[in-house]
Amino acid sequence: MSSNQRNQEQLSLRLSEVFDDIGVSDEIIQKRRQSALFMESVYTVLFLLDNKYTTKYLFGSQSEGTTTEGINSDADVLFRVPDFNVINDWSHWKQGEVNLLMVQDQTIAPGYCLLQLLRSDVPLAAEYIPNGKYCMDNKGRVIMKNTAFHHIYVSRGMVQHGPAVMPPMRPGMIETDFVLALPCLQWPIEARRWLTRDNVGGWPSAHLKSESENCGCFLVPVDSKISGLVGGEWRISTTLAERHLMFSLNTIHIKCYVMMKVLLKSYDVFHDVISSYMCKTVLLHCVENTMVEFWLERNLIECFDKMLCVLYNFIAHVQCPHFIIPENNLMAGKISPLQQRRFLEILARIIRSEGRILLEIQIDSIGERIRQKFSRLPAFHPHIKSRLEMRRIVSGDLSYHSARSIVSYIKSYLNIDNGNCCENTIKQIVCSYGDILKLYPQLNNLQKKVVSYISLWMCTTIGSMIASYYISIHGRIPNIAIEWLQSGLNTDVSSSMLKLATVYYSVGNMNVTEDILTRIDQRYDRNVVLPVCGCIDNGGPVHKEGFVVAANNGQVTDFRNIVSYCVKFMYQEVNIVPSELRQEFFRSSQEEKQRRHPVYDRWMNYAVVDSLPYMYFLQYKVYSSQGKNEEKLRALQKLKNVLNEEQRIQHKETVFNLLGQCMEQENLPNDAFHYYERSLQVRFQHNAANFYRARLLS
């Protein structure tokens, strides 16, 4: 082995360690994928329960595990629209359904198609335009416009971004692209040719190709850059098959792919032109055309150079063939001659550097980390996190987002119009609980885990609604309500138990309420438990030391013992809600209600409070009722301190409102006014403090 080869091998091994350090390791890749598939399962189960036979997929770097903290990839979300039977062969026409035939000819760009409307009674082409979703093309065919779903985006305040749309950004949200796409179970002919295409090293295998074909494809509403047709083309997307292929690759493949993304992200000139999808396409072509034995850790630099050379060749010819449909040129119409020359100059310099260019990369401190690996002296860089620290941080982030997904969407599913609780409302939710149990046998393991979480939420909600209903009529709690509530006690560390405590408090059973609150206090380890809110995310660190350690030691989907959800009361539970919280149902004026976002502000219909301050508030009320003055003042002090000590409190204005009312009860009106003012500083509109302040002044 020559000296240069030894140097290359040493650099490859050190570089591989660096990528392990920043979270591109087999363990973290699998955790990222597990988290994404868990969130997909949440959507799928809730859609099934809501009789919406659609599916929400998380595609791209987040779900593939091909991102890092420095890359900070956005999320790509695809909604599968199930209302159409998309076919590429007349034999798949179905009577009584909306049939759309994929049409491809010489006027349509490769990898794209038109969707021709067929009659639903007989297998013939439609002759008339049924509604505004369709138009007539120049050949007299009734075709579906690729703007057919834009009204859905507009109604939710989303912004168009190519075929995708972006919702208004809110604190704590990952930048997300949403796409509505039509599914087709069969691949078009130009895609099926890939099934018999030869490869050098045996990847992908015939079995993997068959499984990929079974994934079907999607039709994404966007025109090609080269055909000149406007408003009628749909891109044929094989993203589900490609994810299947990516999941079959090893860690060295993934490291090379991430390395290319990091490198190109370091040069502003590549932004918005050479996409991550093009980089992934380069990787897939390279793996297909090399031997399996080539992709070894000691060859990492050589593997990376191979990918750079392929990308150079693609740019030199302005030809990046789609991996499954190679006739579709991903670079068509996207690179100007000036950009091409600039790209080739940069890539040539990178290739000539034989990996040394990586020392210049600042993203994820990769350059500094490489130098540190080769240094014989111990180095201290406070801004560079260790491998263990990075693993914990990523695990914490993934656990947080997994936990937030379940509470965000179950609360949307349980969304019921405000109104008094009645037997029909309770029966409606009990029937939904029965639907969950019926679904269980037909689900996969991850979906079953989701169902186990959802069922706990359902039990808690049913129990508290029954309690509220019986209190309004009979002034007591039936045993059946307590049984439901106890069946749902393990949603998280605190929120479901606080619902049970609230029920007992509402009928004046202070001793039992005190016992439950004591149990919650003992379970709530402030060094570990992370407050999680499904309504909003106003920021605050999720990297609490005990939380990230616990998240790293377990599965990212096993979060119930390390998170604390906010406590949410629907109006149907009003009779168990403490009087100090009931005004939260009416936080908005009529004018303010008109300005609410239909999705992101839905939580404002309810009374919502973070678990930890609510626990202290209930302790204050219980001890006040029991005449335990010392314990009461201690609980009140904890309620005052909680906003300074816990940075993840989300409903701060509600906490200030509770404090204000406690001050009124302590006959301290000036202090009460101060807390209402602080509440309005947090949220001036949609705030019950406007009522409390006016009441106090009157």
Side-chain angles (χ1 to χ4, degrees), residues 152-317:
I152 299 175
Y153 303 144
V154 172
S155 67
R156 286 165 170 76
M158 296 185 174
V159 180
Q160 191 74 31
H161 185 253
V165 293
M166 294 181 63
M169 283 301 294
R170 297 287 179 104
M173 286 179 59
I174 297 174
E175 192 170 303
T176 306
D177 288 334
F178 289 89
V179 173
L180 289 179
L182 305 181
C184 181
L185 298 179
Q186 305 84 33
W187 277 9
I189 293 175
E190 57 185 346
R192 289 202 296 270
R193 286 195 283 267
W194 172 76
L195 299 172
T196 56
R197 190 167 80 201
D198 292 334
N199 56 62
V200 172
W203 184 94
S205 65
H207 178 68
L208 184 56
K209 286 185 175 183
S210 176
E211 288 182 334
S212 300
E213 183 189 17
N214 291 337
C215 294
C217 63
F218 296 104
L219 287 308
V220 176
V222 63
D223 294 313
S224 72
K225 297 283 187 181
I226 58 174
S227 68
L229 297 174
V230 179
E233 282 187 317
W234 296 69
R235 188 177 71 222
I236 301 167
S237 170
T238 54
T239 47
L240 196 54
E242 290 160 22
R243 184 170 78 176
H244 201 62
L245 294 173
M246 289 297 292
F247 280 14
S248 74
L249 299 180
N250 65 34
T251 309
I252 302 304
H253 298 132
I254 301 301
K255 286 179 178 178
C256 286
Y257 175 37
V258 173
M259 205 184 312
M260 176 172 277
K261 290 201 294 183
V262 167
L263 191 63
L264 297 186
K265 188 179 176 71
S266 301
Y267 292 87
D268 291 341
V269 68
F270 290 113
H271 290 187
D272 297 324
V273 183
I274 306 300
S275 65
S276 293
Y277 188 73
M278 290 181 190
C279 294
K280 179 165 68 176
T281 302
V282 167
L283 171 67
L284 295 176
H285 279 294
C286 286
V287 179
E288 183 186 48
N289 291 299
T290 51
M291 299 298 292
V292 174
E293 296 78 11
F294 177 69
W295 299 89
L296 299 175
E297 188 174 40
R298 65 172 183 268
N299 293 339
L300 188 58
I301 292 295
E302 191 176 352
C303 295
F304 182 49
D305 283 345
K306 171 76 173 177
M307 288 181 61
L308 289 173
C309 290
V310 171
L311 178 61
Y312 184 96
N313 186 54
F314 284 171
I315 294 174
H317 295 88

Side-chain angles (χ1 to χ4, degrees), residues 428-437 455 458-459 462 484:
Q428 175 187 338
I429 299 192
V430 172
C431 287
S432 298
Y433 181 76
D435 292 339
I436 290 178
L437 300 182
S455 62
M458 299 289 284
C459 290
I462 292 168
W484 278 106

Side-chain angles (χ1 to χ4, degrees), residues 28-80:
I28 295 300
I29 291 169
Q30 296 306 320
K31 282 193 172 188
R32 288 188 187 279
R33 293 173 179 177
Q34 184 186 42
S35 177
L37 293 176
F38 176 82
M39 288 188 274
E40 272 189 12
S41 299
V42 172
Y43 311 138
T44 300
V45 169
L46 291 175
F47 283 144
L48 286 173
L49 290 173
D50 210 18
N51 293 318
K52 296 176 182 176
Y53 296 97
T54 186
T55 308
K56 183 175 179 179
Y57 294 100
L58 301 180
F59 288 127
S61 302
Q62 295 285 351
S63 65
E64 292 168 354
T66 56
T67 187
T68 68
E69 190 178 43
I71 295 177
N72 191 28
S73 303
D74 59 5
D76 298 317
V77 176
L78 184 146
F79 283 98
R80 173 185 173 274

Side-chain angles (χ1 to χ4, degrees), residues 81 189 213 319 376 399 407 411 489 516 521 551 584 609 698:
V81 182
I189 293 175
E213 183 189 17
Q319 180 76 30
R376 295 183 180 180
S399 292
V407 71
K411 288 185 175 181
L489 283 185
I516 297 171
D521 210 349
E584 300 294 329
V609 60
S698 69

